[in-house]
Amino acid sequence: MKKQKVIQLVAVALLFLSALNMGAQAEFAQHMITDNFMQGYDVIAVDINRDGYPDIVAAAKATTGEVSWWRNNGFNEFEKTIIKQGFSGARGVRAADINGDTEIDIVAAGWLANKILYFENDGSENFTEHIVDNNFKGAHTVDLRDVNNDGYLDILCSGFDYYGHQGEIVWWENDGQDSVSWTKHLISDRFQQSPFIFGEDMDNDGDLDIVACGELNDEIVWWQNDGNQNFGSGIVVDNNFNAAHTVIARDVDQDGDMDILGAACMSSKIAWYENDGSQNFTKHSLPNFGGALWLDAIDLDNDGDKDLFGAGMTAPSLAWWENDGEQNFTKANIGGSFGQGFCVVPVMMDSDNDYDLVAIGKATNKISWFENKLEDPNPYNHPECCVYDYANERWLISNTGGTENPGYILEVDNEGNTSMFKSNIDAPLGMCIAENTLYVSDAKNGVLGFDLDTSEELFFMDFNPIGNMDGQAYDNDGHLFVVDTYGRIYKIYLEENYKTYFVLTGLTAYTQDIVFDEENNRLLAIGYATNAPIQAISLEDSSITNYPTSFSYYDGITMDQYGNVYLASHQSPGRVIKYFPGFDGSHEIVSTGHDEPAGLHYNTENDTLAVPNYGGSTVDFIPMETTSIGKLKKDVNEWLDIYPNPFHDVLKISMKKPCGDLSVALFNLMGQQVFHAILNQEDTQMNMQFIPSGIYIVKIKSDGLSEIKKIIKQQ
């Protein structure tokens, strides 16, 4: 998992739904957390370390059974920690405070190990393993509920006895002591194989009832709690739900009582069962959903009613069913391909007032979260190149739209407001501004030109590239240079409207981008290759001079007003590197943690570096300070600590070794300075109560050292 000092900074954006064809219907973008969690079965989203950000906990067949959690660093970047390996048949996992110490513990079930384990969190996310039951046949799905209303969470588990067909429905009573002891209570043994159990007050009498299903006898049953945890023989909801696999209780029709949602894997059936208030259930079947393993309900489109969402073992993607308010449901797929989904759960991952989803896929070995675009749609879709329009004080950003959507160009003003400049371009890549015209490389089609004031198309030149038409540079003398990523550069005579080859051989494989170095009357080019050099190309005779670099896989190049050159590298963790004039090898890492950084651009008017993250569909605006040649930046970990991060009101700085006065500046996402101080103590703290909550960049300088770090202010 990548580490970072500066991570993706999502530019503040206004909604422009009509321009991007985003309507009121929820749309989802998939963000992969891992594709290496082998044969995953169960996943939950919960704030394990209580830092305000949802983490991920999952169980999988991996390494003969594994339970792990992924820490969310606040930017929806995740780092994995293994809790338990060798837990045969790890199948179900839930998390909550089990022992009343306010820390989030984890409970897991292993159906081949026939065990239920409780992992106690010591507050620093070190987990101590305790056995709840080491002989519960086919321990499958767990639920954590206060069954007896004593203030302590008990454990429910269903027994999927694959071999002996003697599955049980059981709850284990928590005795409430610091060192928890458990007492087993049988609810039912009617099912031979029970894959799922769920606790909920089904009859509104204030105590917890139980819902479960049997896969072999095709039943959905609920057990009524009489208030003393006597559950009786169970009440059948459906005895003809073929291969019932999952049951969840939700108030689907919002009439004040709990309905039941069911999914049946082997028969692909899904249905919801309407509770009339007297626990008489009416079955409402939906069209088959391939290998249905999960069906749940929540309001995904913020229209006030409960929508459905689910995962299927043979379905090519997750799905959701929009509720029209009368419990008529219309199906739509979610977020692209996601095969053999086993479980999907709702969570507000990005705190934008709409529900996102987290899912686990067995065959794909993936855990992904699916960003709901409803409330705060991301205006970016695979951004490729940024340029700054000085005359109109705005950024222009090309977006390819991915593989399924047309590309477009956004404009972003200095306050972060976003609107459409030009839509329906096939695949806009590199861009350049020349004489009040925005020139755009349209991949396989040619070069376009748009009036900066009206966005009207003024120019088109057809090309037949071997690669893609990409990076551009203007020489301020009527000539536009454009890269063919196959390894060629064209020269376009704009006034005469014709083109010639400028460079045919000698370029790095997969040359991506170029920039005009006016002082030296040359182009500088970079390529997507291992240890690709900076290539200086004379405008006099097209001769090429190579300058070695220390990194690889470059996708963007730009310059500041002092001749420093900035390269965007995909080499993990995606980074921006600054090379000093003269190219003697002197360089510094400006930032890391970018997701496929592409055609970056330096705004010399306010010293802001814009970095489009093609893979992450974000754009980073990084405030910079430039000098011609200076000392190399040292790793911040060598000389200071900045903590806590996230912080609330106080931000602390601790020096690890003596140095001069510290200059500390805080910038918002658009590069605007909101705080500055000069500090002269080795250990100090700054009161930030007046700073609104949000994401900021802190820049620290002292005696030639400098560091850029991303921090979060919480409420």
Side-chain angles (χ1 to χ4, degrees), residues 70-244:
W70 286 258
R71 175 183 170 270
N72 184 343
N73 64 6
F75 315 117
N76 295 322
E77 299 280 340
F78 296 87
E79 183 173 358
K80 179 183 177 181
T81 299
I82 296 172
I83 298 171
K84 173 75 172 178
Q85 290 183 322
F87 186 37
S88 183
R91 179 57 180 84
V93 65
R94 296 292 183 268
D97 179 13
I98 295 296
N99 58 354
D101 63 356
T102 74
E103 305 300 338
I104 304 300
D105 310 302
I106 294 171
V107 175
W111 73 280
L112 291 176
N114 300 317
K115 288 183 180 181
I116 299 173
L117 301 178
Y118 150 51
F119 301 94
E120 181 182 0
N121 185 350
D122 68 356
S124 297
E125 291 66 64
N126 302 306
F127 292 92
T128 301
E129 178 183 322
H130 303 280
I131 295 175
V132 177
D133 194 321
N134 63 1
N135 190 29
F136 182 62
K137 295 294 185 183
H140 206 259
T141 301
V142 292
D143 200 4
L144 305 179
R145 305 282 177 156
D146 185 2
V147 178
N148 55 356
N149 282 335
D150 64 353
Y152 304 107
L153 287 176
D154 307 302
I155 298 173
L156 305 168
C157 191
S158 61
F160 191 87
D161 187 6
Y162 184 81
Y163 298 103
H165 296 173
Q166 295 179 3
E168 294 178 333
I169 300 295
V170 171
W171 72 282
W172 286 261
E173 183 178 356
N174 180 345
D175 69 358
Q177 301 302 307
D178 290 341
S179 180
V180 180
S181 296
W182 304 93
T183 302
K184 179 180 176 181
H185 300 279
L186 177 68
I187 299 170
S188 176
D189 59 1
R190 70 179 292 148
F191 297 141
Q192 298 168 320
Q193 291 179 187
S194 179
F196 210 90
I197 189 170
F198 196 89
E200 187 56 80
D201 183 3
M202 299 302 297
D203 51 6
N204 283 335
D205 63 354
D207 50 42
L208 191 86
D209 307 305
I210 307 298
V211 183
C213 58
E215 190 169 75
L216 291 184
N217 57 1
D218 306 327
E219 285 186 335
I220 296 175
V221 177
W222 79 281
W223 285 263
Q224 184 177 19
N225 185 347
D226 68 357
N228 294 308
Q229 297 75 59
N230 301 306
F231 291 95
S233 60
I235 303 166
V236 176
V237 176
D238 191 346
N239 62 4
N240 190 31
F241 194 53
N242 188 14

Side-chain angles (χ1 to χ4, degrees), residues 28 30 316-318 333-338 370 404:
F28 296 86
Q30 182 176 169
S317 64
L318 306 179
N333 291 331
I334 290 177
S337 175
F338 194 82
F370 294 79
E404 300 178 357

